[in-house]
Amino acid sequence: MNKSIRIIIVDDNEIDLMIGKRLISRVEANIVVNTFLSCESLYEWLNQFKKEEIPTQWVFLIDIYMPKCNGFEVVKELTNLMKPITKNTSYYLLSATIDFADVQRIKMDNTIKEFIGKPITVDLIQKMLTENK
């Protein structure tokens, strides 16, 4: 890939984090992938992020249903946190269950790029990377 891209996965399930990271590395070995088990650990990391490491493109994969926050809340918080860093940010919400109300909410929210059903597949990753070139 020509430009630098950083993928962030936020999910309260360690196995989903491991699978997502491994599949992304299999599709594109040069992409930096950071994983977080909670929104709090993500926010803390972002607040300490070194500005000289800022990639050209950020892609966030966020689980909708987590214990202390939901994916919609995380996107709202990230929208505020990411404004000073970059405008090249894409948000995808993930879930193993498909709730029609959530899918509709995602479609109506122009901040969120798409809903992705779990488990993440190589085809979904390739499509996501193509969309964010």
Side-chain angles (χ1 to χ4, degrees):
M1 300 190 105
N2 302 17
K3 64 181 186 176
S4 69
I5 187 169
R6 182 179 295 262
I7 297 179
I8 308 294
I9 308 172
V10 186
D11 197 315
D12 60 322
N13 183 318
E14 288 186 55
I15 293 170
D16 287 341
L17 291 174
M18 182 185 68
I19 291 169
K21 187 171 186 169
R22 184 167 289 161
L23 287 176
I24 292 166
S25 297
R26 188 179 296 166
V27 172
E28 184 64 53
N30 296 327
I31 292 179
V32 176
V33 180
N34 296 94
T35 59
F36 299 92
L37 279 167
S38 70
C39 52
E40 295 89 356
S41 60
L42 168 65
Y43 302 149
E44 183 179 314
W45 179 80
L46 281 172
N47 285 324
Q48 297 174 2
F49 193 76
K50 295 177 183 161
K51 304 298 183 221
E52 62 272 6
E53 296 177 7
I54 294 174
T56 309
Q57 180 73 29
W58 293 84
V59 176
F60 288 87
L61 304 173
I62 306 163
D63 187 19
I64 294 176
Y65 305 108
M66 295 183 284
K68 294 185 180 180
C69 55
N70 69 49
F72 295 101
E73 294 166 342
V74 175
V75 169
K76 185 176 180 181
E77 182 67 25
L78 287 173
T79 302
N80 293 328
L81 282 173
M82 297 302 290
K83 274 183 187 174
I85 298 173
T86 182
K87 292 182 181 186
N88 297 324
T89 305
S90 298
Y91 302 102
Y92 295 83
L93 291 187
L94 312 168
S95 181
T97 61
I98 300 174
D99 182 324
F100 181 73
D102 287 338
V103 173
Q104 289 303 99
R105 189 173 172 188
I106 289 167
K107 286 181 180 179
M108 294 178 67
D109 187 332
N110 62 2
T111 309
I112 301 167
K113 195 151 192 158
E114 188 176 345
F115 168 81
I116 297 177
K118 290 182 184 178
I120 297 174
T121 64
V122 168
D123 289 340
L124 285 170
I125 293 166
Q126 289 171 330
K127 177 182 179 256
M128 180 189 62
L129 292 175
T130 301
E131 290 173 351
N132 290 287
K133 282 186 177 179

